[in-house]
Every structure is written in structure tokens, then in C-alpha cells.
């Protein structure tokens, strides 16, 4: 998985070094999984690591810049990333059952009814809040940001909420989260 992530041409600075963005993202996902569930199964660890597998190949602007376009893009990516990750699992010697399970987790099948799928959703929300939110909120008005935060919070479990409240944020970001949670 990490070999595929390392091909991402987008770079971020991490401790003074350029790192492919998706490799950075997958490491953050793994870090939050460790905080959330240190005894996670191998299939969940693989799905967490592969959640955005080769996502840069299908940029957001390749779909209409509308709510419908966003949902179509996300739906396509889940299916594509699940297929790519399942194939890598098979090529790496995992069973078909394990490869299919990794794919099902990435597609977030049975969210709210499958504990591992819920953990993956929690972890994705935590990484958004920790690593992407402050930059993301700069491009949108406050009402939209509060709505997005409320939707994000609604996707998470109680354990996800606990971990989210521990995230270090700027004062402004913390104020937005507070407004979202009190409205």
C-alpha cells in the first residue's frame, strides 16, 4: 500500500522533508487507528492504510463542482479504492476472504452496524479534523463549515467524539467546533 501511496506527486512538508501527501495521510490514519483501537485486526489496519489509495489519480475537479458531483466522486472513489486495495492484498498473499473484507471496509459497507466500519469512519473523521480542517475551513463560509462539522460529528461514535475533543486546534477552529456542537 505504501509503495502506491509514495507515487503521489503532491507533497507536504513533514519535519522539513517532502513526503507524498497520500503516504502522510495513510500514516495519520494508522496513528489514529492505534489511538482508537490498538488491537485492530489486520484487515482493518489494511483498510485504514488504503482508504485513499491512489486518490490523486481522480481529482475532485474531474466531477461537477456541486453536491451531486461530490457524492458521485466519493462513490466512485470508494469502489475504485476498494478494488485496488483488494487486488494489492491478493497479490501480497492475503486470502480472497481477507481481500474482500478490506474492500468492504473501504466501501464502508454496513456503517453503523459493523464495528470495524464505524472505526474506519471515526478515523477518517479524526484525520480530517486534525490534518485537513483548518485549511479546508478557510475556503468556506462559517454556516457551511458548521454544517460540515455537524455532519462529521454525526458520523462518529462516542469513542470518535472522545478522541476528536483531544485534538489540538487553533482557537478559531476550536470556536467553530464549539458552535457546531452547541447548535
Amino acid at each position: 500500500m505504501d509503495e502506491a501511496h509514495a507515487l503521489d506527486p503532491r507533497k507536504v512538508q513533514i519535519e522539513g522533508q517532502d513526503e507524498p501527501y497520500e503516504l502522510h495521510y495513510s500514516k495519520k490514519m494508522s496513528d489514529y487507528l492505534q489511538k482508537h483501537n490498538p488491537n485492530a485486526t489486520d484487515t482493518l489496519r489494511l483498510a485504514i492504510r488504503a482508504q485513499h489509495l491512489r486518490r490523486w489519480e481522480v481529482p475532485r475537479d474531474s466531477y461537477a463542482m456541486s453536491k451531486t458531483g461530490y457524492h458521485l466522486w466519493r462513490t466512485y472513489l470508494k469502489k475504485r479504492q476498494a478494488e485496488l486495495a483488494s487486488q494489492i492484498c491478493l497479490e501480497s498473499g492475503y486470502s480472497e476472504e481477507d481481500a474482500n473484507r478490506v474492500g468492504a471496509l473501504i466501501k464502508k459497507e454496513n456503517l453503523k452496524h459493523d464495528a470495524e466500519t464505524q472505526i474506519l469512519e471515526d478515523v477518517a473523521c479524526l484525520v480530517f479534523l486534525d490534518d485537513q480542517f483548518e485549511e479546508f475551513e478557510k475556503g468556506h463560509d462559517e454556516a457551511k463549515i458548521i454544517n460540515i462539522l455537524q455532519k462529521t460529528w454525526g458520523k462518529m461514535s462516542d469513542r470518535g467524539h472522545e478522541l476528536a475533543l483531544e485534538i489540538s486546534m487553533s482557537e478559531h477552529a476550536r470556536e467553530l467546533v464549539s458552535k457546531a456542537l452547541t447548535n
Side-chain angles (χ1 to χ4, degrees), residues 9-166:
R10 300 166 306 152
K11 306 292 185 215
V12 292
Q13 282 279 313
I14 306 297
E15 298 177 7
Q17 300 290 323
D18 279 347
E19 184 169 49
Y21 178 75
E22 291 304 340
L23 184 58
H24 164 73
Y25 179 87
S26 69
K27 288 177 182 178
K28 291 288 253 185
M29 291 286 288
S30 292
D31 290 346
Y32 271 104
L33 175 61
Q34 184 63 27
K35 290 177 184 179
H36 194 299
N37 184 356
N39 299 314
T41 63
D42 284 346
T43 52
L44 179 55
R45 290 180 191 283
L46 288 164
I48 288 285
R49 201 72 174 189
Q51 199 231 356
H52 278 185
L53 189 60
R54 301 184 74 94
R55 187 175 185 172
W56 74 88
E57 294 176 337
V58 185
R60 170 62 186 97
D61 64 6
S62 64
Y63 282 75
M65 297 304 283
S66 63
K67 187 174 185 176
T68 300
Y70 174 75
H71 289 292
L72 289 169
W73 174 69
R74 291 280 308 272
T75 299
Y76 173 74
L77 284 174
K78 280 188 215 179
K79 182 177 184 280
R80 178 181 185 267
Q81 288 155 194
E83 290 170 0
L84 290 169
S86 294
Q87 187 61 39
I88 289 172
C89 287
L90 290 171
E91 291 169 0
S92 299
Y94 286 90
S95 69
E96 188 170 336
E97 180 182 351
D98 284 347
N100 289 338
R101 177 65 177 153
V102 169
L105 287 166
I106 291 170
K107 290 186 279 187
K108 299 180 185 173
E109 293 178 356
N110 299 315
L111 183 61
K112 299 289 185 190
H113 302 288
D114 180 317
E116 288 190 321
T117 304
Q118 182 60 58
I119 290 169
L120 186 142
E121 183 68 20
D122 282 354
V123 168
C125 291
L126 291 165
V127 172
F128 168 71
L129 291 169
D130 178 44
D131 194 55
Q132 302 165 335
F133 173 64
E134 292 197 40
E135 187 62 32
F136 178 81
E137 69 93 8
K138 292 175 187 173
H140 302 283
D141 65 71
E142 185 173 296
K144 181 171 182 155
I145 292 301
I146 288 172
N147 181 265
I148 289 168
L149 286 168
Q150 289 170 335
K151 287 178 182 176
T152 299
W153 200 259
K155 295 178 193 179
M156 298 169 71
S157 70
D158 290 343
R159 177 67 178 138
H161 294 159
E162 290 171 17
L163 291 168
L165 293 173
E166 295 173 6

